[in-house]
Amino acid sequence: MSTTDTPAAVRATARPVWTAEVHRTDDALDRFAGEWDALAARCRTTTPFQHGSWLRSWWRQYGRPGTLVLVLVRRDGRAVAAAALRRRGPFGGLTNLGGALADFTDVLLDDDCADEAAAELAAALPLGRPWHSLELREVPPEAAVHRVLACHRGTVRRYPDSFCQTLPALSMDELLRRLPGKTAQRSRVKLRRIAASGVVVDAAPPEEVPEAVAELLRLHVLQWQERGVTPEHRTARFAAHLTESTTAMVACGRAAVHRFRLDGEFVAVNIVVLCPSFGGLYLYGAHPKLRDRLDIAGLLFGAALDEVRAAGIPLLGLLRGQEPYKQRWRPDAFRNERLVAAPPGPAPAAAVRALRVRARQAVVGVLTVRLPRLKAALTARRLS
């Protein structure tokens, strides 16, 4: 063997060097932004809520100083696994970033070495003491974190979380053929009315996104003023987060902001978040007077479907919730999970956390399932 061949041969047979880092400074997401974004591009399970711009923006507006925990795993110096977490309480309890604003939670794993990276990330998670725990909300079935926790040496408890729905990104005609006859007929009439209405739709360029988001929030409050808008959607911090994250994601092709004009006036604005596996309708605002003239859901749905199909994305995500306007399209359903992981051995903190989750879900079950059934049964009995 020649001396010039030796270094290459050694490199080809050498075992990779794995290292792990846990960063707890408040600027960690910004310091490692480039590596996070590069890794996210190599992770097929990444959703818009693991996009670096979304996480960094959320942390700036909602993060509590001193609680950020960023775990990085490197293979020969290159980041191949990462988890962005936050500490909850003084005893080492960890949870995901995003809070109630994130429809999906996950970690990042490099597709080229996902299994090995998952094992290394599991070992690197700071879950070494009995008082430690990890609780992750809104974990979808295909999430990379399932691989990680499969390697975890402690216990993992699983609970159902939000109900989510998707549709195949087919043409509108193909989607209508999936519906029952009368439903399809009514939908066609509504779509023809939209086409004849004169509504003009365009996508805001990055420099116009802040103004479009402000208009979305104005219309969103207006449309819900009689039924009660989500209080958080009125806050300055939510507006700042939505503006910053959406502007950055539009600039790199990971979101679109659709503006709808009728008679020269903005009547609706919609945000569609995009990733390789799905495009999702995240938040919209529509003027109440539009509801009397057009099918708002059909209007927004059609523009989002066109966006997703043009990007070559296979699914249109309806994200969380079972609103009636979603159900009429006969979507495919799945449930996110809520995961509570404990360190090996006795883990009282995680056990207490799991008990609280179970108790809370029992209360929710009574309020949302058993009481309505009891009310319906009593009503039927009175009428009989």
Side-chain angles (χ1 to χ4, degrees):
M1 180 181 293
S2 67
T3 55
T4 57
D5 291 336
T6 302
V10 170
R11 286 195 299 271
T13 58
R15 297 181 63 182
V17 176
W18 294 88
T19 58
E21 308 159 9
V22 179
H23 301 276
R24 302 178 187 273
T25 58
D26 292 340
D27 65 345
L29 286 172
D30 290 319
R31 285 195 294 122
F32 296 99
E35 289 186 289
W36 181 280
D37 294 344
L39 175 56
R42 303 193 304 272
C43 178
R44 65 175 179 81
T45 58
T46 302
T47 82
F49 306 99
Q50 284 75 60
H51 194 279
S53 298
W54 197 93
L55 289 173
R56 292 188 289 270
S57 169
W58 184 91
W59 174 254
R60 273 189 276 276
Q61 299 302 323
Y62 292 89
R64 187 161 53 87
T67 62
L68 182 63
V69 178
L70 179 64
V71 185
L72 291 175
V73 171
R74 300 181 185 276
R75 185 179 188 268
D76 294 332
R78 185 190 199 193
V80 293
L85 307 168
R86 59 188 172 95
R87 191 164 49 81
R88 180 182 50 204
F91 301 113
L94 296 173
T95 190
N96 52 281
L97 302 189
L101 302 183
D103 285 65
F104 302 117
T105 289
D106 203 359
V107 301
L108 302 181
L109 297 177
D110 193 315
D111 292 336
D112 290 339
C113 56
D115 289 335
E116 302 95 323
E120 296 290 336
L121 182 56
L125 291 174
L127 292 175
R129 299 289 185 268
W131 53 87
H132 290 170
S133 65
L134 171 64
E135 180 181 0
L136 301 177
R137 297 293 310 271
E138 307 297 357
V139 179
E142 300 298 320
V145 75
H146 292 301
R147 287 192 185 192
V148 176
L149 294 182
C151 303
H152 177 56
R153 292 185 299 150
T155 60
V156 179
R157 295 178 175 89
R158 300 174 181 273
Y159 306 94
D161 217 331
S162 295
F163 188 89
C164 304
Q165 300 174 99
T166 63
L167 280 168
L170 304 173
S171 69
M172 185 61 75
D173 285 341
E174 290 174 298
L175 287 179
L176 289 172
R177 285 198 289 271
R178 290 163 45 104
L179 306 183
K182 290 185 178 180
T183 303
Q185 184 178 2
R186 287 193 296 268
S187 296
R188 287 190 178 94
V189 170
K190 292 176 179 179
L191 292 172
R192 284 196 293 269
R193 190 174 298 155
I194 290 171
S197 67
V199 171
V200 177
V201 186
D202 74 338
E207 63 274 13
E208 297 179 16
V209 167
E211 181 182 357
V213 169
E215 185 66 13
L216 182 154
L217 292 173
R218 184 187 73 82
L219 291 170
H220 184 74
V221 170
L222 194 62
Q223 82 185 42
W224 293 106
Q225 62 183 354
E226 295 182 359
R227 290 171 286 177
V229 67
T230 301
E232 184 60 30
H233 292 171
R234 289 179 174 270
T235 65
R237 66 179 182 178
F238 179 74
H241 163 58
L242 194 65
T243 301
E244 180 185 348
S245 61
T246 305
T247 301
M249 292 170 73
V250 167
C252 64
R254 286 291 174 251
V257 179
H258 297 144
R259 303 176 292 190
F260 302 82
R261 291 185 179 90
L262 184 60
D263 301 327
E265 179 186 357
F266 279 123
V267 291
V269 182
N270 185 35
I271 294 177
V272 179
V273 291
L274 305 167
C275 67
S277 58
F278 73 89
L281 292 89
Y282 183 60
L283 189 69
Y284 76 94
H287 199 289
K289 69 179 182 182
L290 191 61
R291 183 170 285 104
D292 298 329
R293 300 180 59 177
L294 297 174
D295 173 26
I296 296 176
L299 179 68
L300 304 177
F301 183 88
L305 184 61
D306 289 343
E307 185 77 40
V308 168
R309 285 172 55 80
I313 295 172
L315 293 175
L316 177 63
L318 307 183
L319 304 186
R320 294 178 292 178
Q322 303 181 61
E323 296 87 344
Y325 79 88
K326 298 178 181 179
Q327 299 307 309
R328 86 174 198 224
W329 296 98
R330 301 299 191 270
D332 301 314
F334 64 91
R335 271 199 181 276
N336 287 341
E337 284 190 303
R338 186 172 186 167
L339 308 180
V340 179
V352 169
R353 192 68 201 168
L355 184 62
R356 289 177 178 172
V357 171
R358 192 180 299 114
R360 188 180 300 116
Q361 291 195 322
V363 171
V364 171
V366 169
L367 294 177
T368 62
V369 178
R370 295 184 182 180
L371 284 182
R373 287 178 179 174
L374 178 61
K375 183 178 179 181
L378 291 174
T379 301
R381 187 172 181 178
R382 285 198 302 269
L383 295 175
S384 62

